[in-house]
Amino acid sequence: MAIATNYQCPACGGPLHFVGASNKLECDYCGSSYEVEQIDRQYAQKNEKAVEKDEAKTSDPTQQEFQDPNLREYNCPSCGARLVCDETTAATSCPYCGNNQVIASGFKGAKMPDKIIPFKLEKQAAINALKEHYKGKKLLPSVFSAQNHMEEIKGVYVPFWLFDGHVDADITFEGTKQRIETTSTERIITTSYYDVKRNGTVKFEKISVDASQKMDDALMDSVEPFDYADLRDFTPSYLPGFFAEFYDVSTEDCLKRAKNRAENTAVSQIESSIGGYHSLTATKKDVKFVQEKVTHAFLPVWVLSTKWNGKNYIFAMNGQTGKMVGDLPLDKGKFWRTFAVITACVAAVVTSILYFIF
């Protein structure tokens, strides 16, 4: 059975949650606010005891009541409700009493993040950003923004692996240069071909790869970049008021994605540094990413789910920068009408050109 810790206001016992605007933990009831360091000191011993209790129950077979390995059972420290969560849940809230809880017993060993970027933007900012995301989308169904129903809005600290390293590259390109000569009767194009060789080292810092199977990789890639100047040493006191997930994708599996991103970026950067050719095509590549360091970090993401016409649409907003991403439905009628208008315009232009030529 997992052991949860409620983060409660020292003044009135109400739920505490971290607020990015003030950079403090604030009480939902009396409005008191506290520095992160103050709450750290107050809850350090409670969290240590939670870890000890969980380890004792794990080693005692008579205490292992819940048999599903993918789920964890715990009692709300505030109201005593018996609750079940995924094994990857690191922070949540009690659906009965509303108290914000951190599964402190899970933060041990490799599960403990090294760094965290705290949320800067609140829930209302995510709602407003989604409404702005609708604007200017000419092929969006007219009734979508009015008729879709917000199913869920969650602020989630998503686990990421941040890779530092460098790429050693030795690349041969085929470059072309063209010379054009025009006479009174013809246009002559002469193409010359060259072997262009480049080698060098490209350094990378904090290539981010999400480490949660629940999160769509493409969506998490799209909410980047994060400003890593805001990275801080991790402490559970940043979590109250938000959801958080332990990683369930290893560094080895995430390294493959980081490696591809780094090597492709290195090739692109080296190619962009070459000038004077009309075209460049890589014909031989010896490119290798060398990992130097990896950091386990919690990064802030607002996840929004909305429903329309029986289908769910998932959006994500960077909880630090406000960047909103997500797919929108397409009004097929508008699409084909727009396509018909564009086709008609292109046909008219072509007809006019042919008329003047002939």
Side-chain angles (χ1 to χ4, degrees):
M1 179 180 287
I3 309 296
T5 301
N6 274 359
Y7 277 68
Q8 296 174 310
C9 174
C12 72
L16 287 175
H17 70 281
F18 179 80
V19 178
S22 65
N23 203 33
K24 296 180 179 181
L25 287 102
E26 299 182 3
C27 177
D28 295 335
Y29 291 169
C30 70
S32 298
S33 61
Y34 305 91
E35 298 289 344
V36 170
E37 293 77 11
Q38 179 182 349
I39 299 300
D40 273 346
R41 290 192 297 270
Q42 180 170 335
Y43 279 86
Q45 190 173 9
K46 290 183 179 180
N47 289 335
E48 287 176 6
K49 288 183 178 180
V51 173
E52 291 173 1
K53 287 181 181 179
D54 184 62
E55 289 176 343
K57 289 187 175 184
T58 301
S59 61
D60 184 355
T62 64
Q63 297 292 326
Q64 297 176 26
E65 302 174 9
F66 212 77
Q67 299 303 314
D68 191 329
N70 299 315
L71 299 175
R72 295 289 182 270
E73 187 180 33
Y74 69 98
N75 291 327
C76 173
S78 180
C79 70
R82 202 167 194 175
L83 306 171
V84 176
C85 64
D86 291 342
E87 64 172 345
T88 57
T89 299
T92 183
S93 62
C94 176
Y96 299 102
C97 68
N99 273 284
N100 299 319
Q101 301 168 355
V102 175
I103 313 300
S105 59
F107 289 105
K108 51 189 176 183
K111 293 294 184 181
M112 175 74 81
D114 303 304
K115 299 289 184 178
I116 187 171
I117 293 180
F119 273 88
K120 278 192 173 182
L121 302 172
E122 298 293 307
K123 179 186 290 186
Q124 190 57 50
I127 296 173
N128 294 340
L130 183 58
K131 292 178 180 178
E132 287 295 318
H133 190 60
Y134 297 157
K135 292 182 179 179
K137 307 297 192 298
K138 297 185 182 300
L139 299 181
L140 183 69
S142 302
V143 296
F144 176 75
S145 57
Q147 293 184 1
N148 77 83
H149 301 286
M150 193 70 68
E151 296 289 304
E152 191 174 29
I153 306 174
K154 292 198 302 184
V156 183
Y157 279 109
V158 180
F160 278 78
W161 296 113
L162 307 180
F163 293 91
D164 291 356
H166 65 272
V167 171
D168 293 323
D170 188 348
I171 310 173
T172 300
F173 298 89
E174 180 184 78
T176 65
K177 292 183 179 181
Q178 292 184 339
R179 187 176 74 257
I180 301 175
E181 298 176 275
T182 303
T183 68
S184 58
T185 58
E186 58 185 353
R187 187 167 179 260
I188 302 170
I189 302 176
T190 303
T191 303
S192 301
Y193 294 87
Y194 301 85
D195 279 340
V196 184
K197 298 180 183 293
R198 291 290 187 274
N199 59 66
T201 298
V202 182
K203 292 190 66 66
F204 292 89
E205 291 185 358
K206 298 179 179 61
I207 304 171
S208 58
V209 181
D210 71 280
S212 171
Q213 293 184 29
K214 294 179 184 176
M215 296 297 173
D216 181 88
D217 292 342
L219 206 60
M220 292 301 99
D221 288 347
S222 298
V223 298
E224 296 180 30
F226 290 90
D227 181 0
Y228 294 117
D230 282 343
L231 269 178
R232 307 175 189 183
D233 290 338
F234 174 78
T235 169
S237 297
Y238 288 112
L239 304 184
F242 301 98
F243 292 83
E245 296 283 338
F246 294 117
Y247 73 83
D248 56 4
V249 184
S250 68
T251 53
E252 291 76 16
D253 289 336
C254 288
L255 177 59
K256 298 174 184 176
R257 291 174 55 201
K259 176 178 178 291
N260 288 336
R261 293 178 66 178
E263 291 179 353
N264 290 336
T265 301
V267 172
S268 178
Q269 286 190 351
I270 290 173
E271 183 175 350
S272 66
S273 70
I274 303 172
Y277 298 92
H278 288 96
S279 70
L280 283 169
T281 305
T283 57
K284 181 181 178 182
K285 293 189 292 186
D286 183 6
V287 182
K288 183 181 180 181
F289 176 71
V290 179
Q291 177 187 326
E292 298 171 353
K293 178 184 175 184
V294 61
T295 303
H296 178 202
F298 273 0
L299 303 183
V301 179
W302 282 101
V303 179
L304 304 91
S305 172
T306 185
K307 192 171 185 177
W308 182 71
N309 270 4
K311 183 178 179 181
N312 288 321
Y313 293 88
I314 306 297
F315 303 88
M317 188 186 85
N318 187 312
Q320 178 197 34
T321 67
K323 181 182 179 182
M324 172 68 71
V325 296
D327 292 330
L328 292 167
L330 176 69
D331 187 322
K332 293 182 179 179
K334 285 184 178 181
F335 171 79
W336 288 114
R337 286 194 294 273
T338 302
F339 179 79
V341 170
I342 293 173
T343 302
C345 291
V346 171
V349 171
V350 172
T351 301
S352 299
I353 293 173
L354 292 175
Y355 175 79
F356 283 110
I357 291 175
F358 296 103

